[in-house]
Amino acid sequence: MASVSATTLSFEPCFKLSRRTSQAFCRTSSLGAVSVGWIRESFPSLRSSRFRIYAAPETVQKVCEIVRKQLALPPDSELTPETKFSALGADSLDTVEIVMTLEEEFGIGVEEESSENITTVQEAADLIDKLIQKKGGAD
């Protein structure tokens, strides 16, 4: 909150009164008895990670096979859902090629914004299952 007089400008921090209701109040200096407040009642934040649905194991396995092939990794190389493409030596072009191969293999279309968020095998598999489910619901 800011208060202005002829010669000064002062700021006074707001403080939170309640964690559950997000009530906050601000007051100005003694130059004027002005206070501003608001109350925002809302539900607690739900984090999507708490309710995350993981992809089918078959999808994860297929993604691993495609990543091995695209990056010319040995067939016995160990890939887990948490494996990052960058840890395998993939650059951005490799990642684009992986996404294009996944699109062809699964018959889906991945939007550019979504493809930029794919950094691990699990993220790719989750997105694939989500798009397949969405595609199935559209039919």
Side-chain angles (χ1 to χ4, degrees), residues 52-73:
R52 186 173 185 152
I53 299 171
Y54 288 99
E58 303 84 38
T59 306
V60 173
Q61 185 175 354
K62 188 70 175 172
V63 170
C64 288
E65 290 171 15
I66 290 170
V67 169
R68 275 189 195 96
K69 185 178 176 184
Q70 276 308 125
L71 299 178
L73 299 174

Side-chain angles (χ1 to χ4, degrees), residues 63 66-67 70-71 85 90 93-103 118 124:
V63 170
I66 290 170
V67 169
Q70 276 308 125
L71 299 178
F85 299 148
L93 181 58
D94 291 323
T95 303
V96 169
E97 290 175 354
I98 290 169
V99 171
M100 289 172 54
T101 304
L102 294 171
E103 288 177 321
I118 299 174

Side-chain angles (χ1 to χ4, degrees), residues 1-111:
M1 190 72 194
S3 61
V4 180
S5 72
T7 58
T8 64
L9 173 66
S10 63
F11 292 91
E12 189 171 67
C14 294
F15 57 92
K16 199 172 185 179
L17 294 177
S18 170
R19 202 169 115 204
R20 292 187 86 191
T21 61
S22 299
Q23 294 177 341
F25 290 89
C26 300
R27 292 182 228 195
T28 62
S29 67
S30 61
L31 296 174
V34 176
S35 65
V36 177
W38 66 90
I39 299 173
R40 188 182 86 199
E41 298 288 337
S42 64
F43 291 101
S45 173
L46 299 176
R47 295 179 185 209
S48 61
S49 62
R50 288 184 182 174
F51 300 105
R52 186 173 185 152
I53 299 171
Y54 288 99
E58 303 84 38
T59 306
V60 173
Q61 185 175 354
K62 188 70 175 172
V63 170
C64 288
E65 290 171 15
I66 290 170
V67 169
R68 275 189 195 96
K69 185 178 176 184
Q70 276 308 125
L71 299 178
L73 299 174
D76 61 340
S77 60
E78 185 178 338
L79 296 179
T80 67
E82 294 80 27
T83 301
K84 292 185 179 268
F85 299 148
S86 60
L88 299 171
D91 60 14
S92 58
L93 181 58
D94 291 323
T95 303
V96 169
E97 290 175 354
I98 290 169
V99 171
M100 289 172 54
T101 304
L102 294 171
E103 288 177 321
E104 290 174 22
E105 187 68 34
F106 289 96
I108 56 171
V110 179
E111 294 181 19

Side-chain angles (χ1 to χ4, degrees), residues 112-132:
E112 189 174 338
E113 301 119 22
S114 298
S115 67
E116 292 172 357
N117 296 326
I118 299 174
T119 60
T120 66
V121 169
Q122 186 68 57
E123 290 170 351
D126 289 345
L127 181 61
I128 290 165
D129 276 1
K130 178 182 167 186
L131 292 172
I132 289 173

